[in-house]
Amino acid sequence: DDDVAFLCSQHAAEILVTIIQNSLLNSPVMISLSSDPALKRILDIASLSSSASLSNDMSREEQPEFVPHESKMTCAITVLESLVLQLGGYGAVGVEGGAVEKTDETLQTNLSEIGPHTPPPLASLPMHPSSPDFSQEATTADTSTLVSHLPALLQDLSALLTHPVTKTWHTPAQYTGGEPRLLLGTSRLRILRLVEALVLLGDASVDFDLQHSNILKHCIDLFWKFER
């Protein structure tokens, strides 16, 4: 049953987000979730990648559709967003110490460290992100595996933001003369939040892939399209 499967995914996502937000970067669970095969599985579900369905012996006709409401896809995106924020240092705990107290002063310091997000010039960026070194066992979670999957992820998410089916998403709204109004949808909103988390990473390799993807343009287009 689809409803039961979604509820299971929702509960699993809530548990994973709680674990991620309260785990050290050098903990086994963070190292596992930020590397393959766990990360690849999350990415496939979050981007509706065909490999996620076909790996479960699901035919192409049975692959999940892109829907505007909450789904297994949005659950995976929520987990991925939390993971990215934790890797970027915005979680509840650090690497060695215990929980970080989120005071107003701490939050202000974090914001000042972020500053205006100005991407480095293309000349200073690597021609291609270096692949993660699997010859050594990871001792702390990092973004290396995520970066290796990022070009494909951004391509899939960008295609979802402009998917033809989104033109059929409408919401009954007042003061439109009875005309249906286009709906942004929870699923696309989750994608936008994930892109925001990637920007907050401040990682040169991530910025490189974002600059060479059209996903930021689609995000801006959606902002103007749904400004009201």
Side-chain angles (χ1 to χ4, degrees), residues 2-76:
D2 291 341
D3 291 337
V4 173
F6 167 67
L7 288 176
C8 290
S9 298
Q10 195 172 42
H11 291 321
E14 292 172 355
I15 293 171
L16 283 173
V17 168
T18 301
I19 292 174
I20 290 171
Q21 291 177 343
N22 294 278
S23 294
L24 300 172
L25 292 181
N26 54 1
S27 65
V29 66
M30 282 299 297
I31 294 174
S32 175
L33 288 174
S34 62
S35 57
D36 290 334
L39 180 61
K40 181 63 165 62
R41 178 61 176 156
I42 295 173
L43 294 174
D44 284 344
I45 300 175
S47 61
L48 292 184
S49 172
S50 59
S51 60
S53 299
L54 298 180
S55 63
N56 287 332
D57 298 325
M58 185 182 293
S59 67
R60 294 186 183 276
E61 291 75 14
E62 296 174 320
Q63 289 180 30
E65 298 179 355
F66 186 41
V67 294
H69 48 75
E70 294 280 4
S71 63
K72 288 193 289 185
M73 170 196 166
T74 60
C75 292

